Amino acid sequence: MRKITKQIKISGIALACLCVGHITGYAEGVPVFYMEPVIVTANRTLQTLTEAKADVSVITRKEIEKNHITNPEQALRRLPGIQFLNYGYNGRNANVSRLRLNGSANIVVLVDGVKVNDFRGDGENGSFFASQINGMDNIEQIDVLRGAAGMQYGSGAQGGVINIITREITDNKTSLDFSGGEFGKKKMSIYNQGKNGKTGYSVYYVKNKTGDMVDGGGQTVKGNNSVRSYGVKIQRDFSAASNISIAYDDFYTHYAGYDPIYTTPYMGHFRQESMTFKHAAKFKERWKHRFTYRHNKETNHYVQTASTGDFVPPWSYTYDIFNEQLSYVSNKHTFVFGIDYNRGKDNLLTKVRVFDGKKVLYEKNVHRKMENFSIFAQEDWRITDEWLLSLGVRHDRPYGDDYVEKMEPYTSYSYKIGYDFTPKDSIYASYNDFYIFPSMAQKFNPRFGNAHLEPGYGHTNSVGYNRKFSNNHILMFNWFRTKSEKYIGYVPTGPDYWDGKYENISNALSRGWNLQWQNQWNDHWASRLGFSHIYIYAEGDTITRGYYPKNMLTFALNYSNKKWNVGLDGFYFDRYINPEEPNEGGWPDRKFSVWNMNATYEANKNTAIYINVDNIFNKLWAEHTHVIWGGGPRAWYSQPGRCISFGVKYTF
């Protein structure tokens, strides 16, 4: 009872802090948030946050800079409806971190509106190296679209979409960032961009290291990460309305440590290389065209060194992704038409067996592949000044190699109607299909794969309300219900959880609501407040064994003036526990909160000195546990305790 009372008090403090700006006098300063940012993710065209009439959140460049956000995970933890499932802080987490939107692990990650991969190699669409990607100087903003978006973005977009938008090259700028702190933290970041006439370039290089960490209970967890990422982009403007660009990005992480649950050393690495070509043009005033080609290669290997074999089989996949989009915008109509072609190839040889129905005709080692061709169209029609109608359709036709069972084409639809009943208030209702093609690992993995898997599919209904008090003060609410008629899940087939394979399962449901309130109170104070409530039932999915929050509160508060910026952020997590399943002592706490703080002093116009304090109150918490799977007491993958780091950033 004392723990619950303490959590209620802490949550009350958060709410009180968020209200401070309302009673603080106005003074000259530098705003931290832009509350009505322009987004592109919801409907594939430029819109303001409330015009999109969807459950969307944005982390802007200004927020990233002022709070020294070092990776996408730190940014995304500020937003409602987003849940991480990390195996601790170092080492192992670099290999198996997971992310869910609206309770679903099936999400799509985009860079500049285009998928990074498809038929994802590791079998989990929600696998996203958010804690490792650290080239934040190259990121302009991060859009998050919660809810099904299969029509807009294709296979996998059940829980939503994360769109990482890179910076445009507009001027000459260089930044150097150096930081270090507890848990072996060391970081060096270099970013440079330049423009001469119609030609521009940008270059970045980031080196980041972490070591052993200590959790909130005082236990040391052995592990280390070494992350290196760099990239270069060259852009040529033919006119104010036409340009081409080519970019190369390389991300590599190597890690090692000691697994406290399996009591064994481990090591591994992950690398992602991508080459992106884009051409964009505007013509005849209202028409825009964008073509993107992305070639991406991913390799991953994780091994428990005391084991006789690979705990997780290594994989290496290559993706080729083509996207052509044509859009038309007028006062009444916004029309988007597009074509996608995605191909995934296994770079490692896989043994296949060809049967005649009774016996094996032959065995052969081949490079497996899968591909998909799709065409989509969406029309947003402003019927009157108050009413909006949106209709969309996508047709997908997947293919495989000669050894893949044929998958049937799939057609998905979306409908939305919106009504602005005052200049500041709007409501909307929507229906969106989603579908999930099996990944190459789910099909071909020699240990867990199932060649007979069929695509999963279902739909999401949602209702929303937006209140725009001003350009700097917005309230957004969204209720959703997601029904999977068929989905792809992992089913254990033996006494050990890892003795199993992927199967098609029916009967999955999630429903809930998200609330976000954000305000730039004045030039000094800005705040975010988010709340999400969710219920999940998924046959064969272990998420109901205490892995998701029934209720979750997120908050961020910033104070800024000419010399100082001080930020406070964090979350409150109220864990769902299924009363029909044993969970006694399965987690450090059922209800807990984690608070973080950062402060920056602008020594001059070029130099900023900053301090970050993560987990201020040294809370013991975890997002994965082995206790409920037969492990002993405290057999969970704990997150880091309080950690202090310092840094300096020089910009010229």
Side-chain angles (χ1 to χ4, degrees):
M1 186 65 186
R2 288 181 179 177
K3 289 184 179 180
I4 296 175
T5 304
K6 182 180 179 181
Q7 297 298 341
I8 293 173
K9 288 181 179 178
I10 290 176
S11 299
I13 293 172
L15 291 171
C17 288
L18 291 169
C19 294
V20 169
H22 187 63
I23 60 176
T24 302
Y26 181 87
E28 184 181 2
V30 181
V32 177
F33 304 141
Y34 295 105
M35 289 298 113
E36 185 75 339
V38 174
I39 63 171
V40 71
T41 307
N43 296 317
R44 284 184 173 266
T45 55
L46 293 175
Q47 297 173 305
T48 63
L49 197 63
T50 53
E51 285 175 343
K53 292 181 172 51
D55 193 7
V56 186
S57 298
V58 177
I59 297 291
T60 64
R61 178 76 220 155
K62 182 67 70 173
E63 192 171 354
I64 291 171
E65 289 181 340
K66 285 292 184 180
N67 293 281
H68 291 281
I69 295 173
T70 60
N71 58 62
E73 178 174 332
Q74 291 181 356
L76 295 171
R77 283 192 184 272
R78 293 168 164 250
L79 305 177
I82 301 176
Q83 179 200 356
F84 282 87
L85 287 164
N86 287 350
Y87 283 85
Y89 160 76
N90 52 15
R92 181 172 165 80
N93 182 53
N95 180 53
V96 285
S97 60
R98 294 287 183 261
L99 178 66
R100 287 178 177 254
L101 295 179
N102 280 1
S104 174
N106 291 302
I107 65 173
V108 167
V109 177
L110 312 170
V111 175
D112 292 330
V114 178
K115 285 185 177 182
V116 176
N117 51 43
D118 209 355
F119 312 112
R120 185 170 178 88
D122 63 353
E124 295 281 353
N125 291 319
S127 177
F128 174 36
F129 291 80
S131 65
Q132 306 297 310
I133 298 172
N134 48 25
M136 296 299 287
D137 282 330
N138 192 43
I139 295 176
E140 181 63 29
Q141 71 180 48
I142 302 175
D143 294 354
V144 177
L145 171 62
R146 288 173 289 268
M151 193 291 298
Q152 291 97 327
Y153 293 106
S155 172
Q158 175 182 354
V161 173
I162 296 173
N163 188 12
I164 299 174
I165 300 169
T166 58
R167 297 182 74 169
E168 289 293 324
I169 303 169
T170 56
D171 56 7
N172 300 312
K173 181 182 297 183
T174 301
S175 65
L176 307 174
D177 195 342
F178 302 92
S179 63
E182 295 179 287
F183 306 160
K185 285 189 174 182
K186 296 178 182 178
K187 180 184 176 183
M188 176 186 70
S189 174
I190 303 172
Y191 177 80
N192 172 251
Q193 69 174 34
K195 193 163 188 179
N196 184 9
K198 295 184 177 182
T199 303
Y201 74 91
S202 65
V203 180
Y204 69 91
Y205 177 86
V206 184
K207 183 72 174 179
N208 187 34
K209 289 186 176 182
T210 58
D212 299 346
M213 76 90 171
V214 180
D215 66 19
Q219 180 178 352
T220 299
V221 180
K222 295 288 185 179
N224 63 80
N225 287 353
S226 178
V227 182
R228 180 266 298 148
S229 58
Y230 63 88
V232 58
K233 177 180 178 180
I234 299 174
Q235 179 177 306
R236 174 69 178 179
D237 299 329
F238 296 109
S239 68
S242 175
N243 67 74
I244 62 170
S245 67
I246 185 167
Y248 174 79
D249 298 275
D250 189 304
F251 166 77
Y252 176 79
T253 176
H254 179 270
Y255 53 90
Y258 184 84
D259 192 309
I261 308 303
Y262 290 94
T263 62
T264 179
Y266 64 83
M267 63 183 298
H269 66 265
F270 173 84
R271 186 176 186 182
Q272 183 179 83
E273 302 171 85
S274 65
M275 182 73 73
T276 305
F277 171 82
K278 292 194 297 184
H279 176 249
K282 181 178 180 180
F283 53 96
K284 294 186 177 179
E285 294 187 17
R286 300 185 183 276
W287 290 91
K288 288 184 179 180
H289 137 85
R290 186 193 71 186
F291 170 79
T292 305
Y293 165 66
R294 176 166 291 141
H295 177 80
N296 184 50
K297 182 180 179 180
E298 294 183 356
T299 57
N300 185 70
H301 191 200
Y302 171 80
V303 60
Q304 292 183 346
T305 54
S307 174
T308 56
D310 291 323
F311 184 74
V312 177
W315 48 262
S316 174
Y317 293 95
T318 299
Y319 305 93
D320 290 287
I321 298 170
F322 297 82
N323 170 259
E324 168 63 40
Q325 178 177 307
L326 187 67
S327 60
Y328 169 85
V329 180
S330 70
N331 293 333
K332 294 290 185 180
H333 297 274
T334 299
F335 177 74
V336 178
F337 169 82
I339 296 173
D340 287 330
Y341 172 75
N342 303 333
R343 179 178 61 201
K345 178 186 175 183
D346 188 347
N347 298 317
L348 304 179
L349 291 172
T350 301
K351 181 179 291 186
V352 297
R353 294 181 175 182
V354 177
F355 294 83
D356 66 354
K358 295 181 180 180
K359 62 179 181 179
V360 177
L361 294 179
Y362 63 88
E363 294 183 353
K364 187 177 182 181
N365 289 321
V366 298
H367 294 286
R368 310 303 300 270
K369 66 178 181 179
M370 297 176 68
E371 52 191 326
N372 178 56
F373 175 82
S374 60
I375 184 170
F376 62 91
Q378 178 172 311
E379 161 78 1
D380 292 349
W381 177 24
R382 181 61 75 168
I383 303 173
T384 67
D385 290 341
E386 294 81 20
W387 287 94
L388 171 72
L389 178 64
S390 177
L391 303 172
V393 60
R394 172 187 286 261
H395 182 73
D396 284 82
R397 185 173 291 274
Y399 300 88
D401 56 35
D402 295 336
Y403 312 101
V404 177
E405 291 188 13
K406 182 180 179 181
M407 291 186 290
E408 295 298 322
Y410 191 86
T411 302
S412 55
Y413 302 92
S414 70
Y415 317 95
K416 179 164 60 181
I417 187 166
Y419 177 60
D420 301 330
F421 55 94
T422 76
K424 295 183 177 181
D425 299 272
S426 62
I427 57 174
Y428 62 89
S430 65
Y431 168 97
N432 289 277
D433 283 332
F434 66 84
Y435 56 98
I436 305 159
F437 292 138
S439 73
M440 288 185 284
Q442 289 170 336
K443 279 276 194 180
F444 310 145
N445 186 290
R447 183 171 180 181
F448 309 117
N450 181 355
H452 304 291
L453 282 175
E454 298 177 356
Y457 57 90
H459 65 274
T460 293
N461 299 100
S462 67
V463 177
Y465 165 72
N466 296 334
R467 168 71 177 180
K468 184 177 178 180
F469 298 95
S470 70
N471 286 338
N472 297 328
H473 190 181
I474 298 171
L475 178 71
M476 304 175 71
F477 173 84
N478 179 273
W479 173 90
F480 68 91
R481 181 182 184 273
T482 298
K483 173 65 176 176
S484 294
E485 299 178 46
K486 180 185 292 185
Y487 71 99
I488 300 169
Y490 177 79
V491 179
T493 56
D496 191 316
Y497 175 78
W498 296 107
D499 293 330
K501 63 178 181 178
Y502 292 103
E503 297 279 5
N504 283 119
I505 307 172
S506 59
N507 197 17
L509 173 71
S510 62
R511 62 173 181 266
W513 50 270
N514 297 304
L515 174 73
Q516 49 183 329
W517 173 50
Q518 44 194 15
N519 194 359
Q520 181 78 50
W521 300 97
N522 52 46
D523 279 357
H524 280 306
W525 291 93
S527 62
R528 286 182 181 271
L529 182 67
F531 191 89
S532 59
H533 172 80
I534 191 170
Y535 166 79
I536 301 175
Y537 173 78
E539 182 181 326
D541 194 333
T542 61
I543 191 71
T544 59
R545 299 201 64 180
Y547 285 92
Y548 78 87
K550 178 175 61 176
N551 301 298
M552 190 169 181
L553 172 74
T554 58
F555 58 89
L557 174 70
N558 269 86
Y559 170 79
S560 183
N561 62 28
K562 289 184 177 180
K563 288 290 186 180
W564 285 94
N565 180 82
V566 180
L568 183 70
D569 69 90
F571 61 88
Y572 169 74
F573 193 104
D574 177 10
R575 191 181 306 281
Y576 172 81
I577 299 293
N578 189 337
E580 299 178 359
E581 296 178 338
N583 281 281
E584 187 66 29
W587 304 89
D589 263 323
R590 177 172 177 175
K591 300 182 180 183
F592 63 93
S593 62
V594 177
W595 295 58
N596 311 302
M597 185 273 287
N598 65 82
T600 303
Y601 174 68
E602 304 283 349
N604 53 52
K605 67 177 183 178
N606 301 112
T607 308
I609 303 169
Y610 60 91
I611 178 175
N612 292 330
V613 184
D614 299 324
N615 195 357
I616 299 172
F617 300 112
N618 202 31
K619 180 63 184 175
L620 175 63
W621 60 295
E623 295 176 325
H624 269 287
T625 183
H626 195 61
V627 177
I628 62 176
W629 304 106
R634 289 181 53 87
W636 48 62
Y637 292 97
S638 54
Q639 297 287 335
R642 180 171 47 248
C643 179
I644 303 174
S645 59
F646 300 88
V648 58
K649 186 171 185 178
Y650 184 66
T651 304
F652 58 95

